[in-house]
Amino acid sequence: MSMSKKRLTWVDGAKGFLMILVVIGHYPGQLDFPLVKYIYWFHMPAFFILSGMFFKPVIEKGLMKHMIHKRFMQLIVPYLFFLGSITLIRYGIELSSGNIDLSWYVNDFWTLVVGGRFARGAYGVFWFVTTLFFTYLFFLWMTKYFSRTKQIIILAISYSIAHYESFFAMSVIGGKPDIASQTVPMIWNIDVVLMAVVYFALGYYMKDIWTNVSMRWLIVGLIGSVTAISLDMNHAIDYHLSMKFLRYDHFFLDLIIPLSFTLVLVGIFQLIAAQLSVKWLQKIEKHSLTIMYLHIFTDILLNDYFTYGIVGFTAFGLVVPIIFSIIIQRFLPYGKLLLGGFSQKKIPTKPAVTH
């Protein structure tokens, strides 16, 4: 099997699996085991790491605009489409239940414009897309104008500012992380880029390690992950990570723990994909954008009519969005485009001007 073919299977498998973890991570009920806490240790950093792995720096003049346009079409267009769709349905439900308080709608709409960590409930994951978009822009700019050494200096500064901001929100303001982080005003969670760009860069810089995780690296990752979990279970550390709410608990563990877990995830999926079919995970990955946008809303709409635990929640959160994804692509004009399926024709290179 060619490298690209093999790559696709394990990457899609890993991303599909991460998407399931995103859904599980939003389960509103209580679980006996601190599963959600451990999912948050790495699932979002892993998405940024995997995105960084496929980053291509833009060297040519004039290509910058083209790449930004492409990313905008792939990320922001679906963002606006789902933001609009969910909001229309929500407002329809509000109106039909007798809510005609204009100020409620104005406040709600304003929150959605600001987005990021302020957009809650059905919009719980929307911050990720705007953050990824601006992370991409930031890294594009860094790799175009600065040498590798300067890039690393910029990343170190960025990482330090992120931790200072987190310390300010968590310790100075204090209280619950979601409330505390909302006292720091910011549109679209752009400040999370300070943290996300570091994971993104590690995906890009360590590309050779990620594309083929050796047994040695897998063992390093396992040791890191198992040590972290056992320290946490024995209360030697109480580690949390929530990128959305600016909660970065520990200057060093914020790199060690997500990297360890991602090494294990990627390493294991490379082993699995070499032996078994991960087709069902690839299907999930194919519809992951819709799953991300709709899984919480699905639960909000269904939990009045059905009673389900974590398994039912996860199943509904995957299956219903996949059905919608297929319907949108098949029956809506520009359906594929609305779901980020934007592909550009190859840019013709300008012929040399002859005088």
Side-chain angles (χ1 to χ4, degrees), residues 266-282:
V266 169
I268 286 175
F269 269 98
Q270 285 173 354
L271 291 173
I272 293 173
Q275 304 299 326
L276 305 165
S277 159
V278 284
K279 268 209 171 60
W280 62 281
L281 283 170
Q282 285 176 283

Side-chain angles (χ1 to χ4, degrees), residues 319-352:
V319 174
V320 175
I322 287 176
I323 293 168
F324 272 102
S325 177
I326 294 167
I327 291 172
I328 292 165
Q329 289 183 38
R330 290 237 174 112
F331 301 109
L332 264 191
Y334 305 111
K336 276 202 168 60
L337 198 68
L338 295 172
L339 297 188
F342 172 76
S343 55
Q344 264 164 336
K345 294 173 186 61
K346 283 267 175 277
I347 300 185
T349 45
K350 288 184 188 135

Side-chain angles (χ1 to χ4, degrees), residues 250-301:
H250 193 284
F251 199 82
F252 297 109
L253 293 183
D254 291 340
L255 286 179
I256 296 166
I257 291 179
L259 282 172
S260 298
F261 273 84
T262 307
L263 275 169
V264 173
L265 172 89
V266 169
I268 286 175
F269 269 98
Q270 285 173 354
L271 291 173
I272 293 173
Q275 304 299 326
L276 305 165
S277 159
V278 284
K279 268 209 171 60
W280 62 281
L281 283 170
Q282 285 176 283
K283 276 210 172 44
I284 289 174
E285 204 284 319
K286 206 174 124 195
H287 300 288
S288 59
L289 204 65
T290 316
I291 294 169
M292 188 181 73
Y293 283 123
L294 294 184
H295 69 275
I296 299 176
F297 194 46
T298 300
D299 173 56
I300 291 171
L301 296 179

